[in-house]
Amino acid sequence: MQVSSLNEVKIYSLSCGKSLPEWLSDRKKRALQKKDVDVRRRIELIQDFEMPTVCTTIKVSKDGQYILATGTYKPRVRCYDTYQLSLKFERCLDSEVVTFDILSDDYSKIVFLHNDRYIEFHSQQGFYYKTRIPKFGRDFSYHYPSCDLYFVGASSEVYRLNLEQGRYLNPLQTDAAENNVCDINSEHGLFATGTVEGRVECWDPRTRNRVGLLDCALSSVTADSEINSIPTISALKFNGALTMAVGTSTGQVLLYDLRSDKPLLVKDHQYGLPIKSVHFQESLDLILSADSRIIKMWNKNSGKIFTSLEPEHDINDVCLYPNSGMLLTANETPKMGIYYIPVLGPAPRWCSFLDNLTEELEENPESTVYDDYKFVTRKDLENLGLTHLIGSPFLRAYMHGFFMDIRLYHKVKLMVNPFAYEEYRKDKIRQKIEETRAQRVQLKKLPKVNKELALKLIEEEEEKQKSMWKKKVKNLPNILTDDRFKVMFENPDFQVDEESEEFRLLNPLVSKISEKRKKKLRLLEQQERHEQEDEEEPEGKPSDAESSESSDDEKDWVEEVRKQRRLLHQEEKRKRQEQVKEDQQTVLKPQFYEIKAGEEFRSFKDSATKQKLMNKTLEDRLKLEARNGTLNVSDTTVGSKQLTFTLKRSEQQKKQQEAEKLHRQERKKLRRSAGHLKSKHKRGRPFH
């Protein structure tokens, strides 16, 4: 039994563990239980609580004694008796079930909606009757006062089948192209249907007229959400007389008061998947909304998350066992999920031992689900090369990162860095050797980085210890032994560059400060000697002497700074002269440029202007072409822009056009002269 905890709410998974095949004999099952610890520790709450391949829908009868589930393959329905904790019966069907409903308190009256438009009725003995609706159905609801079944599907009409008269009634004509889900309020009988356009239409079954219309698609769109298509209604559920929850195909749950067309609360699952089902939990004022990946439980007044549940496989349907803390799920796997949450309520009467079991587990806590997982951030995934797994079942989103299987993490880590263990082993050996060396007699050993600074600090520390060994003074921490400054003597990036300009200008100041410290130490030594010789002699020196010393130190410091500046200027001047000599000695070699075929070289200026033009942005080039007349921008009647380009001609094309023009002019002259001669000949004038 796995235990997970979120927001300090414990969730017990009762369906986890290995499942034994049906064809195994009892002897082999007992042998496996003795050998395998996982098989022995598993809890089989209901015997054979699974489907051959996939479970699609699951429901509990009103008396709480029977659990009915449909699945494939082959299409079938299974009924489990909770009082016997075993399978009561199994019936195979002709086609897959879209949804079903239990009309009686027990399993004696069941209605199935198939994916081939058939409606199948089952009684206590088995199959009873089958009929067909005109269009493919997606959901249906039962109106108890009138004994009417309301079917919605791939049509704008809502089909009504009266079970008392045994015939179809006039359908309800909606404004939608198709309808996805429907529900009937048990308090006042209001019928509501969710459409593909993202609207909810409410009808009064007594008058068969529409009494309300809600545009949920517009209300579900928030400032942070990205919508690629119109959200459709995928789930619908009434609670009491005035509350209604609507789930959309984009992963939002809207909570409505029927007296207002604006939602009281909009909750986003953040996965972008259609909401499969919505349930209300009365004792704690919670709403349980589920998509194919996660089941979220949140407060219906504030929207605050209470807890969440993520099964290993995709969810098809969710059923909350009435008046208890048990949750049943139909998944894309043979096993149906059973979860027990003690905070939601007590265990059902037929499995009351779960309360004692969970109390014992809380007294002796064991490892939770997350002990077998490794938490990784997005940066860790980039280093491991696993960013393509985001959104897949291998990664579970949690807070600012993801949970992944610890075995997968170790495998990928070994593939990315196969020598990580060898490096770790060498580091451990080196640390052990250094620990043994630390126990030996320590010699004065300078670090590899900033040796001069370390030597200076060591000398100052020794002088302090020599001068003040008699006085009981609290020892101040040394920089060399302080862990905060340890990197300064280990990392080469912290090496002091003594040739830099900043260091050379600040070095006189540093040296003078160190000299002052030495002078103060010498003064203290002299004072101690004078005290021993003559106790009546006043301590220290006169103020005039101190002021004269400080003024001399300042003068020396200023002179040294000026000296360093002069040296820096001389070095810069020398570098510039060397650079000029190198430039004079270098001989410039001619550069050759290749001209493309079909182009004529005119000058380097044209190539430079062409290069400048290519470096400009598209907007600047369009403006320049508009000024030159090669581009024309005009507005169309529709409101868009029209661009007209005029291609430039090369020099060769221009010369060819000029030659053709001259040739045409010569031919015209020849034609004119020939026509003139013919006219003269007709008039009888002789040739000359």
Side-chain angles (χ1 to χ4, degrees):
M1 182 169 61
Q2 286 184 349
V3 185
S4 60
S5 178
L6 181 66
N7 292 342
E8 297 181 357
V9 177
K10 289 194 174 182
I11 303 172
Y12 298 89
S13 177
L14 306 177
S15 58
C16 67
K18 295 182 179 179
S19 59
L20 300 177
E22 297 179 358
W23 43 266
L24 277 180
S25 62
D26 295 337
R27 185 177 179 182
K28 288 186 177 180
K29 287 181 180 180
R30 286 194 298 270
L32 278 174
Q33 287 179 357
K34 291 179 181 179
K35 293 179 182 178
D36 199 335
V37 180
D38 294 334
V39 175
R40 189 166 62 250
R41 288 183 177 179
R42 70 192 179 102
I43 297 176
E44 193 175 11
L45 194 63
I46 300 175
Q47 188 179 1
D48 298 331
F49 195 68
E50 58 185 18
M51 284 287 171
T53 308
V54 172
C55 181
T56 55
T57 54
I58 185 168
K59 292 183 186 295
V60 179
S61 61
K62 293 178 183 178
D63 58 4
Q65 184 179 353
Y66 302 100
I67 300 173
L68 285 94
T70 60
T72 56
Y73 176 82
K74 299 178 179 180
R76 67 191 66 204
V77 57
R78 285 184 172 181
C79 178
Y80 297 90
D81 191 347
T82 57
Y83 291 176
Q84 303 297 326
L85 298 178
S86 61
L87 179 67
K88 186 169 184 65
F89 65 83
E90 178 184 15
R91 298 171 186 170
C92 289
L93 306 170
D94 295 335
S95 58
E96 293 184 11
V97 177
V98 178
T99 184
F100 74 96
D101 197 4
I102 306 169
L103 304 185
S104 60
D105 293 339
D106 53 4
Y107 66 92
S108 58
K109 295 179 183 178
I110 312 171
V111 183
F112 297 96
L113 175 62
H114 294 274
N115 61 355
D116 57 355
R117 297 192 289 135
Y118 274 104
I119 302 163
E120 193 169 326
F121 296 88
H122 281 231
S123 64
Q124 193 169 3
Q125 293 79 17
F127 171 76
Y128 181 75
Y129 185 73
K130 182 188 286 189
T131 184
R132 207 171 189 183
I133 55 176
K135 300 288 184 179
F136 289 97
R138 295 174 183 172
D139 196 10
F140 71 92
S141 295
Y142 181 62
H143 187 242
Y144 281 91
S146 62
C147 298
D148 288 343
L149 280 173
Y150 289 79
F151 296 93
V152 297
S155 172
S156 61
E157 296 179 338
V158 179
Y159 304 110
R160 296 189 302 148
L161 176 62
N162 187 271
L163 300 184
E164 184 181 7
Q165 302 177 18
R167 65 186 182 91
Y168 283 100
L169 305 177
N170 292 330
L172 305 178
Q173 183 65 42
T174 63
D175 294 338
E178 295 177 359
N179 296 281
N180 289 334
V181 290
C182 63
D183 193 23
I184 293 177
N185 194 304
S186 58
E187 299 288 336
H188 45 66
L190 184 69
F191 172 75
T193 175
T195 66
V196 293
E197 289 85 2
R199 297 189 182 95
V200 174
E201 296 189 11
C202 298
W203 293 73
D204 188 353
R206 298 169 298 180
T207 60
R208 298 185 297 280
N209 294 325
R210 192 175 70 185
V211 295
L213 180 66
L214 292 175
D215 193 351
C216 301
L218 188 62
S219 301
S220 65
V221 178
T222 58
D224 300 332
S225 60
E226 296 181 1
I227 302 299
N228 298 324
S229 61
I230 298 175
T232 62
I233 307 301
S234 59
L236 191 65
K237 189 71 175 179
F238 281 106
N239 180 40
L242 298 175
T243 308
M244 180 179 66
V246 179
T248 64
S249 60
T250 53
Q252 289 89 19
V253 180
L254 295 86
L255 190 65
Y256 280 95
D257 189 320
L258 294 180
R259 295 168 293 185
S260 174
D261 60 347
K262 299 293 172 55
L264 301 174
L265 193 66
V266 179
K267 188 67 178 177
D268 196 346
H269 271 221
Q270 303 293 336
Y271 281 105
L273 300 172
I275 302 297
K276 295 279 188 179
S277 65
V278 180
H279 294 276
F280 288 88
Q281 211 277 341
E282 298 294 341
S283 60
L284 298 177
D285 289 337
L286 298 178
I287 294 179
L288 282 74
S289 55
D291 56 22
S292 60
R293 185 173 295 180
I294 190 171
I295 303 171
K296 287 193 175 184
M297 307 175 197
W298 43 280
N299 190 282
K300 68 177 183 180
N301 298 318
S302 62
K304 186 179 179 182
I305 284 290
F306 179 72
T307 187
S308 62
L309 174 63
E310 289 188 70
E312 296 181 3
H313 304 277
D314 289 347
I315 303 168
N316 289 328
D317 194 15
V318 177
C319 177
L320 183 64
Y321 198 92
N323 303 321
S324 72
M326 182 170 286
L327 199 67
L328 307 173
T329 60
N331 307 322
E332 286 287 330
T333 182
K335 273 196 171 184
M336 292 177 276
I338 305 176
Y339 299 93
Y340 177 50
I341 309 171
V343 182
L344 296 183
R349 186 176 60 180
W350 49 273
C351 57
S352 57
F353 59 88
L354 288 177
D355 291 327
N356 300 329
L357 186 63
T358 53
E359 287 176 4
E360 291 176 3
L361 289 174
E362 288 179 1
E363 292 175 0
N364 302 318
E366 295 181 359
S367 60
T368 59
V369 173
Y370 298 109
D371 291 342
D372 298 330
Y373 288 83
K374 172 72 175 176
F375 182 78
V376 291
T377 60
R378 190 176 287 270
K379 189 176 180 180
D380 296 336
L381 292 176
E382 291 175 359
N383 295 333
L384 296 173
L386 298 177
T387 52
H388 62 282
L389 293 180
I390 296 175
S392 66
F394 295 102
L395 295 176
R396 299 284 182 178
Y398 183 75
M399 294 177 69
H400 63 284
F402 305 89
F403 272 111
M404 66 182 299
D405 197 319
I406 192 70
R407 294 170 295 179
L408 176 63
Y409 175 78
H410 287 319
K411 285 182 181 178
V412 176
K413 192 78 181 289
L414 187 62
M415 291 170 64
V416 171
N417 190 4
F419 303 104
Y421 177 73
E422 293 295 330
E423 294 174 1
Y424 171 78
R425 184 170 171 273
K426 289 178 182 178
D427 291 339
K428 282 292 182 183
I429 293 171
R430 187 168 58 252
Q431 289 176 7
K432 289 288 184 182
I433 293 171
E434 289 177 357
E435 288 177 1
T436 54
R437 284 175 180 173
Q439 298 173 1
R440 300 174 187 172
V441 178
Q442 293 288 334
L443 300 175
K444 187 186 287 185
K445 187 178 180 181
L446 295 176
K448 296 180 181 179
V449 183
N450 290 328
K451 291 183 179 180
E452 293 80 5
L453 180 60
L455 182 61
K456 179 182 174 183
L457 293 171
I458 291 170
E459 290 176 355
E460 289 180 357
E461 188 68 23
E462 288 177 353
E463 288 181 2
K464 285 182 183 179
Q465 290 177 0
K466 287 178 183 178
S467 61
M468 306 182 74
W469 66 275
K470 290 183 180 180
K471 297 182 180 180
K472 293 182 180 180
V473 182
K474 188 178 180 180
N475 292 328
L476 297 174
N478 190 9
I479 295 177
L480 290 169
T481 58
D482 198 342
D483 292 337
R484 294 175 295 175
F485 304 97
K486 183 172 65 175
V487 185
M488 192 169 64
F489 301 100
E490 295 177 355
N491 195 345
D493 295 337
F494 291 92
Q495 177 67 45
V496 177
D497 188 8
E498 297 182 359
E499 299 297 328
S500 63
E501 182 179 353
E502 293 81 2
F503 180 82
R504 292 176 65 179
L505 292 176
L506 292 173
N507 191 36
L509 178 63
V510 176
S511 63
K512 288 300 172 184
I513 290 171
S514 61
E515 287 178 4
K516 285 181 181 179
R517 289 174 180 169
K518 291 178 182 179
K519 286 180 181 179
K520 286 181 180 178
L521 291 170
R522 290 168 189 165
L523 286 172
L524 290 171
E525 291 176 359
Q526 291 177 3
Q527 288 175 8
E528 290 177 358
R529 290 171 187 169
H530 286 305
E531 285 177 359
Q532 291 176 0
E533 293 175 359
D534 190 6
E535 294 180 357
E536 295 180 359
E537 188 174 351
E539 297 180 355
K541 288 188 176 182
S543 61
D544 295 338
E546 290 181 359
S547 62
S548 62
E549 283 184 2
S550 63
S551 62
D552 292 340
D553 294 341
E554 289 178 359
K555 288 178 182 178
D556 295 341
W557 179 76
V558 171
E559 289 177 0
E560 288 187 7
V561 171
R562 288 176 180 173
K563 183 180 177 181
Q564 292 293 335
R565 286 189 181 278
R566 284 196 298 270
L567 291 173
L568 288 171
H569 287 308
Q570 289 175 5
E571 289 179 1
E572 290 179 1
K573 189 175 180 180
R574 188 169 60 254
K575 287 180 181 178
R576 285 198 297 269
Q577 290 176 358
E578 290 177 357
Q579 186 67 29
V580 171
K581 287 181 181 179
E582 288 180 2
D583 294 342
Q584 289 176 356
Q585 291 176 1
T586 54
V587 180
L588 297 175
K589 296 181 180 180
Q591 294 182 355
F592 297 94
Y593 296 92
E594 184 180 357
I595 302 173
K596 292 182 180 180
E599 292 187 0
E600 184 180 357
F601 176 74
R602 292 189 295 274
S603 65
F604 287 103
K605 187 177 180 182
D606 294 339
S607 62
T609 54
K610 187 182 288 186
Q611 187 65 29
K612 287 181 181 178
L613 184 63
M614 293 301 293
N615 292 333
K616 289 184 178 180
T617 60
L618 178 61
E619 183 182 2
D620 297 338
R621 280 185 278 166
L622 291 175
K623 288 180 181 178
L624 184 62
E625 290 180 359
R627 278 193 236 107
N628 296 336
T630 58
L631 174 68
N632 183 22
V633 183
S634 60
D635 296 329
T636 62
T637 57
V638 186
S640 57
K641 296 285 185 180
Q642 181 178 356
L643 297 177
T644 306
F645 293 91
T646 305
L647 298 176
K648 290 183 179 180
R649 298 171 182 173
S650 61
E651 294 293 331
Q652 189 175 359
Q653 289 177 347
K654 288 181 180 178
K655 288 180 180 179
Q656 188 176 357
Q657 287 179 356
E658 289 177 358
E660 290 176 357
K661 188 176 181 181
L662 291 172
H663 182 66
R664 284 196 298 269
Q665 289 176 358
E666 288 177 358
R667 288 178 64 87
K668 284 181 182 179
K669 288 180 181 180
L670 289 173
R671 287 196 197 97
R672 287 174 185 171
S673 60
H676 185 64
L677 291 173
K678 285 181 181 179
S679 61
K680 282 184 178 182
H681 179 67
K682 286 179 181 179
R683 292 174 186 174
R685 293 177 183 177
F687 279 117
H688 294 288

